[in-house]
Amino acid sequence: MKAFTYERYGPPENLRMAEVDTPAPNAGEVLVKVLAASVNAADWHVLRGKPLFSRATLGLLRPKHQILGVDVAGQVAAVGGDVTGVTAGDEVYANLLDHGYGGFAEYVAVPVGVLASKPANLSFEEAAAVPMAATTALQGLGRHGDLQPGQQVLINGATGGVGSFAVQLAKASGAEVTGVTSTGNLELVRSLGADHVVDYTTTDFTRGGRRYDLILDTVGNQSVPELRRALAAGGKAAVTGFTSVAGLLGVSLRGGKDVVQVQAHVSSEDLELLSQLIEAGKLRPRIDRRYRFAEIPAAIAYLEQGHARAKVVVAMT
Ligand SMILES: NC(=O)c1ccc[n+]([C@@H]2O[C@H](COP(=O)([O-])OP(=O)(O)OC[C@H]3O[C@@H](n4cnc5c(N)ncnc54)[C@H](OP(=O)(O)O)[C@@H]3O)[C@@H](O)[C@H]2O)c1
């Protein structure tokens, strides 16, 4: 099969289209013919081996996982042993972050615990946009953050992959939602359902005087004291992103029950919950750019600039 592979940490130009063996599904796995994938920040972090300390798990000198790609949507081509409830031909979507990546390829073996039926009302490209970003938003808001109806919720980075789902999820839960973005994206944030918008080019939300019950910071450009300043009494902040290693460590060292770092892990149960919300019309992926399989390095380079308007997807055919 064809796959994009890389052997050295570095820029997207290090990726090469290569012929590799098609994986065989092990027990508990299915082989998925990948029809669409989406690009995530994880892809460019792992491609570059950054932050450097992440190489302790990614491979000290050379990358352990030579095929990137965590989000896929496609059709089940073969079923491994001990698999029930999934059969060849099923249309599925999945996430491979905790299972060795491998989505930027024609086929990938996927454990059944991280896949679900593709939402019936989405194309394969739209479905591939969902798993990583929407699960991170769901877990950041709901598990780390304890999202409740009527809360004042702020999403920093409201137009990114995670943020664009977070605005919709918070709104669907009955919260009053504020989205932080740049001037050109204010309308997009309103169209996602935000009640209020903050333009970060003119206003620092941590100094505006308004207090929030829940902050999902997908950018990671605020310190723990700054986040605390914007929290209402008893409020919580969940941080998914980081702009510096010091910032990342700051949340781990200076955070606590009120300010936590999110570590998202995709599961079939959460994908099924997201499918229900999508099929009920409460959640819809927004697609910024569509690329073809051969253009995956360009798709990663675009996302790495940090200004994608929601999701960047790849059609594999
Ligand atoms: N912890 C986890 O489990 C987990 C899982 C998934 C993702 N993440 C991390 O979460 C972060 C966000 O992921 P993503 O997929 O949403 O990234 P993304 O799609 O690349 O985010 C891009 C968005 O960030 C916005 N942005 C950039 N600077 C901003 C600022 N100063 N204030 C407000 N918004 C700003 C941009 O809006 P403008 O164009 O308007 O600037 C753009 O829409 C990444 O760091 C990623 O590594 C963590």
Side-chain angles (χ1 to χ4, degrees):
M1 68 169 187
K2 288 191 172 50
F4 266 101
T5 65
Y6 77 123
E7 292 176 0
R8 281 178 298 114
Y9 292 119
E13 297 77 52
N14 281 11
L15 291 167
R16 292 274 173 273
M17 177 97 79
E19 282 291 333
V20 301
D21 292 339
T22 303
N26 291 318
E29 295 181 344
V30 298
L31 183 69
V32 173
K33 179 175 171 53
V34 182
L35 297 175
S38 81
V39 181
N40 286 281
D43 292 311
W44 63 259
H45 283 298
V46 179
L47 174 63
R48 292 199 180 263
K50 286 193 177 162
L52 282 179
F53 67 75
S54 66
R55 295 188 190 189
T57 47
L58 297 175
L60 223 43
L61 300 175
R62 287 175 179 278
K64 265 196 309 204
H65 308 301
Q66 287 170 354
I67 306 176
L68 296 173
V70 293
D71 278 340
V72 296
Q75 209 157 25
V76 175
V79 175
D82 298 334
V83 171
T84 52
V86 187
T87 52
D90 284 359
E91 297 183 344
V92 295
Y93 68 149
N95 178 274
L96 294 150
L97 184 77
D98 294 328
H99 299 279
Y101 300 72
F104 295 157
E106 289 180 299
Y107 293 88
V108 65
V110 179
V112 289
V114 291
L115 66 71
S117 297
K118 177 178 82 64
N121 56 342
L122 295 189
S123 67
F124 285 100
E125 289 169 35
E126 289 171 318
V130 174
M132 187 78 255
T135 300
T136 306
L138 184 74
Q139 295 182 355
L141 289 169
R143 261 160 242 162
H144 299 274
D146 194 21
L147 176 65
Q148 301 291 336
Q151 282 182 328
Q152 291 290 328
V153 175
L154 178 134
I155 313 295
N156 189 29
T159 44
V162 177
S164 60
F165 284 110
V167 171
Q168 297 180 68
L169 286 169
K171 199 62 201 154
S173 296
E176 188 168 330
V177 182
T178 300
V180 183
T181 190
S182 62
T183 320
N185 284 333
L186 295 175
E187 267 321 301
L188 173 58
V189 178
R190 286 195 188 97
S191 78
L192 291 165
D195 303 286
H196 314 281
V197 289
V198 173
D199 181 345
Y200 72 76
T201 67
T202 58
T203 308
D204 176 350
F205 76 85
T206 70
R207 293 185 180 277
R210 238 182 129 142
R211 299 278 177 272
Y212 301 91
D213 302 304
L214 176 55
I215 295 173
L216 185 73
D217 181 4
T218 76
V219 183
N221 59 343
Q222 307 294 339
S223 68
V224 170
E226 284 166 337
L227 288 170
R228 284 198 175 121
R229 192 165 58 215
L231 285 178
K236 287 185 175 173
V239 183
T240 78
F242 62 94
T243 47
S244 68
V245 173
L248 180 68
L249 291 176
V251 176
S252 309
L253 298 174
R254 301 178 74 187
K257 283 193 178 149
D258 58 340
V259 180
V260 294
Q261 185 81 41
V262 176
Q263 203 48 261
H265 297 285
V266 177
S267 66
S268 298
E269 290 73 27
D270 279 345
L271 289 178
E272 279 157 15
L273 175 61
L274 291 166
S275 291
Q276 283 171 20
L277 291 167
I278 290 166
E279 288 174 354
K282 293 182 175 163
L283 187 68
R284 182 110 203 159
R286 296 291 181 99
I287 309 297
D288 175 3
R289 291 192 181 184
R290 293 176 158 80
Y291 289 85
R292 287 177 288 120
F293 185 29
E295 299 171 323
I296 280 176
I300 295 175
Y302 173 63
L303 189 78
E304 194 179 359
Q305 291 166 24
H307 296 289
R309 289 163 52 91
K311 287 296 299 180
V312 175
V313 296
V314 177
M316 305 299 282
T317 46

